[in-house]
Amino acid sequence: MEYRQLGASGLKVPVLSFGTGTFGGGGEFFKAWGNTQVDEASRLVNLCLDSGLTLFDTANVYSQGLSEEILGKAVIGLRDKILLSTKATFKMGEGPNDYGSSRFNLIRSCEDSLRRLKTDYIDIYHMHGFDGNTPVEETLSALNDLIQSGKVRYIACSNFSGWHLMKSLSVSERYGWAKYIAHQAHYSLLSREFEWELMPLALDQNVGTIVWSPLSAGKLSGKYRRNSPIPQDGRIAQGGGEGPAVPDDFFYGIIDVLDQIAAETEKTVAQVALNWVLNRPTVSNVVIGARNEEQLIQNLGAIGWNLTTEQIKRLDKASEKAPIYPYWHQRNFLPLNPLPEFYG
C-alpha cells in the first residue's frame, strides 16, 4: 500500500480508504447503496487491513448513524491500527438545530459520532457541506476547540466551492486556528469539473484531495456498455444522486477507451478508472466502496501499478468537457492561467 501526505499536515494516509456508506442500509436512499451488517463489515475491515488499507470513512448522516455504529463495532480492538474519518453538517433530526455547522450542532454531532464509533477521538473530521447560514468564524472556532480538546485530530471539508474553501482557509489563518487539510470532493472520468477551480486552489494552498465516488456510483464499474446499457428507469440513469445524467455518447465513449486500456493492461475497467484518479494532481486518497468481498478485492487491485502517460492522455481526451464561464475564458489565456501539470 502506498501512503501519501495529506495536504499541509504531517499525516500520511493510504492512497485508498474504505467508504462505509453501504453499512446499515437505513432508509430507501441508503438501502440502495447496500445493507452491510456487523459480521460482514468485520470481514471487510480485516480484508482492508490485510492489504494495508487503514483509513475508514463514514458520516453521521449515513443511515442516520447506523453506518458509524456498525463501523464502531467492526473495529473493536483495532483502534490503534486504523484511521477514522467521519462527517457532520447534514440533517440528523427534525429540530431547528439538528442541521448545519453551528457550534451547537458540531459539538453535539462530534460527541454523538464518538459514542457511535466507540472511540475517544476522530482522526479526520469533515464538514460534509458548506453552511451558508452560520458564520465561518463560528464553525472554525468550534472545530479548533474540538482539536484542542483532543476529540478531533485534523479537520477537512467536503463538497465546498472554491470561495467556501478559500474563505475558510483565510479565516483560520487570521485567527491562528486549525485549517482544513483536505477536501473530500467528487471526481471521476465522468465528472472532471473539480479540475476547473478546486484543483488549482488545492495546489496553491496545499490542500489534499480525498476523492469520493471515483466510479460515479458504479457507472464506471465495467457493468455497463453499449450492448449492456444502464436501465433508463433506474437510479443511476437519473444521476444516482451525483448530479445530472450524462449524455449516452459521452458516457460510452469513455467506456470504449476504458475497455481498450483494460485489455492492454490486463486489468478490469474499474481498476483502470480508479488508477486514473490516483494519478491526478492533489489526490492523496481515493474512497472505495464495496457491497461484498469480491467487489472490495477488485477495487484493491487498482494499486501497485500505473497507467502510462499515453493511456492517461487517451482517457483525458475521451472524458474532456467544455468548461463553463469563467474557465473557458481563462483557457484563452493559458500563460496567465496555466493548467495543472497532469503528465509530469
Side-chain angles (χ1 to χ4, degrees), residues 32 44 55 116 123 132 141 150 176 179 181 194 214 244 256 263 272 343:
L44 294 173
L55 174 55
R116 287 190 289 261
D123 295 292
S141 174
K179 291 184 178 182
I181 63 167
F194 174 79
D256 289 344
V272 172
Y343 309 117

Short mmCIF file of all heavy atoms in Angstrom, two decimals, residues 32 44 55 116 123 132 141 150 176 179 181 194 214 244 256 263 272 343:
data_model
loop_
_atom_site.label_atom_id
_atom_site.label_comp_id
_atom_site.label_asym_id
_atom_site.label_seq_id
_atom_site.Cartn_x
_atom_site.Cartn_y
_atom_site.Cartn_z
N ALA A 32 -30.36 1.51 -1.11
CA ALA A 32 -29.92 1.32 -2.50
C ALA A 32 -28.39 1.22 -2.58
O ALA A 32 -27.85 0.68 -3.54
CB ALA A 32 -30.43 2.47 -3.37
N LEU A 44 -14.87 -7.32 5.98
CA LEU A 44 -14.37 -6.33 5.04
C LEU A 44 -13.26 -5.49 5.67
O LEU A 44 -12.25 -5.19 5.02
CB LEU A 44 -15.52 -5.42 4.56
CG LEU A 44 -16.60 -6.10 3.72
CD1 LEU A 44 -17.76 -5.15 3.47
CD2 LEU A 44 -16.04 -6.61 2.40
N LEU A 55 -7.49 3.43 6.48
CA LEU A 55 -8.36 4.60 6.66
C LEU A 55 -9.80 4.22 6.30
O LEU A 55 -10.06 3.74 5.19
CB LEU A 55 -7.88 5.76 5.78
CG LEU A 55 -8.76 7.01 5.73
CD1 LEU A 55 -9.03 7.57 7.11
CD2 LEU A 55 -8.12 8.07 4.84
N ARG A 116 -21.03 6.58 18.88
CA ARG A 116 -21.40 5.51 17.94
C ARG A 116 -20.18 4.74 17.45
O ARG A 116 -20.24 3.53 17.23
CB ARG A 116 -22.18 6.11 16.76
CG ARG A 116 -23.60 6.55 17.11
CD ARG A 116 -24.38 6.91 15.87
NE ARG A 116 -23.93 8.14 15.26
CZ ARG A 116 -24.50 9.34 15.42
NH1 ARG A 116 -25.57 9.45 16.22
NH2 ARG A 116 -24.03 10.40 14.82
N ASP A 123 -9.96 10.91 13.72
CA ASP A 123 -8.71 11.31 13.07
C ASP A 123 -8.94 12.44 12.08
O ASP A 123 -8.14 13.40 12.03
CB ASP A 123 -8.08 10.11 12.38
CG ASP A 123 -7.63 9.05 13.38
OD1 ASP A 123 -6.68 9.33 14.13
OD2 ASP A 123 -8.26 7.98 13.43
N GLY A 132 -24.03 28.04 4.72
CA GLY A 132 -24.05 29.47 4.44
C GLY A 132 -24.85 30.28 5.43
O GLY A 132 -24.89 31.51 5.34
N SER A 141 -14.02 28.12 14.72
CA SER A 141 -13.70 28.23 16.15
C SER A 141 -14.12 26.97 16.89
O SER A 141 -13.36 26.43 17.72
CB SER A 141 -14.38 29.45 16.75
OG SER A 141 -14.20 29.50 18.15
N GLY A 150 -8.89 17.40 22.10
CA GLY A 150 -8.42 16.05 21.82
C GLY A 150 -9.45 15.14 21.18
O GLY A 150 -9.17 13.97 20.91
N GLY A 176 -5.31 32.07 13.67
CA GLY A 176 -4.38 31.07 14.14
C GLY A 176 -5.05 29.75 14.51
O GLY A 176 -4.54 29.01 15.35
N LYS A 179 -6.52 24.57 10.22
CA LYS A 179 -7.02 24.71 8.86
C LYS A 179 -7.54 23.38 8.33
O LYS A 179 -7.12 22.32 8.78
CB LYS A 179 -5.91 25.20 7.92
CG LYS A 179 -5.45 26.62 8.14
CD LYS A 179 -4.41 26.98 7.07
CE LYS A 179 -3.95 28.42 7.21
NZ LYS A 179 -2.97 28.77 6.15
N ILE A 181 -7.22 20.50 6.14
CA ILE A 181 -6.05 19.93 5.47
C ILE A 181 -6.42 19.17 4.19
O ILE A 181 -5.56 18.84 3.39
CB ILE A 181 -5.26 18.99 6.40
CG1 ILE A 181 -6.13 17.78 6.81
CG2 ILE A 181 -4.75 19.74 7.61
CD1 ILE A 181 -5.34 16.65 7.45
N PHE A 194 -14.06 19.25 -11.07
CA PHE A 194 -13.13 19.52 -9.96
C PHE A 194 -11.85 20.20 -10.45
O PHE A 194 -11.24 21.00 -9.73
CB PHE A 194 -12.80 18.20 -9.25
CG PHE A 194 -11.74 18.32 -8.19
CD1 PHE A 194 -12.04 18.83 -6.93
CD2 PHE A 194 -10.43 17.94 -8.45
CE1 PHE A 194 -11.06 18.95 -5.96
CE2 PHE A 194 -9.45 18.05 -7.48
CZ PHE A 194 -9.76 18.56 -6.23
N PRO A 214 -15.25 7.68 -7.09
CA PRO A 214 -14.39 7.70 -8.28
C PRO A 214 -14.91 6.84 -9.42
O PRO A 214 -14.45 6.99 -10.56
CB PRO A 214 -13.07 7.14 -7.75
CG PRO A 214 -13.49 6.26 -6.60
CD PRO A 214 -14.63 6.98 -5.96
N PRO A 244 -26.58 15.83 -12.73
CA PRO A 244 -27.34 15.50 -13.94
C PRO A 244 -26.79 14.26 -14.64
O PRO A 244 -25.59 13.99 -14.60
CB PRO A 244 -27.15 16.74 -14.82
CG PRO A 244 -26.70 17.82 -13.89
CD PRO A 244 -25.95 17.15 -12.80
N ASP A 256 -15.62 2.89 -23.97
CA ASP A 256 -14.88 2.26 -25.07
C ASP A 256 -13.37 2.33 -24.82
O ASP A 256 -12.64 1.34 -25.00
CB ASP A 256 -15.21 2.95 -26.40
CG ASP A 256 -16.62 2.64 -26.88
OD1 ASP A 256 -17.23 1.69 -26.36
OD2 ASP A 256 -17.12 3.38 -27.75
N ALA A 263 -7.91 -4.07 -21.58
CA ALA A 263 -7.34 -5.19 -22.32
C ALA A 263 -5.81 -5.07 -22.41
O ALA A 263 -5.09 -6.06 -22.28
CB ALA A 263 -7.95 -5.26 -23.71
N VAL A 272 -8.88 0.34 -13.92
CA VAL A 272 -8.31 1.39 -14.77
C VAL A 272 -8.87 2.75 -14.39
O VAL A 272 -8.13 3.74 -14.27
CB VAL A 272 -8.57 1.08 -16.26
CG1 VAL A 272 -8.14 2.26 -17.14
CG2 VAL A 272 -7.82 -0.18 -16.68
N TYR A 343 0.87 15.56 -16.53
CA TYR A 343 1.68 14.47 -17.09
C TYR A 343 3.12 14.46 -16.62
O TYR A 343 3.92 13.69 -17.12
CB TYR A 343 1.61 14.52 -18.62
CG TYR A 343 0.19 14.60 -19.12
CD1 TYR A 343 -0.24 15.72 -19.84
CD2 TYR A 343 -0.73 13.60 -18.84
CE1 TYR A 343 -1.56 15.81 -20.28
CE2 TYR A 343 -2.04 13.69 -19.26
CZ TYR A 343 -2.45 14.81 -19.99
OH TYR A 343 -3.76 14.88 -20.40
#
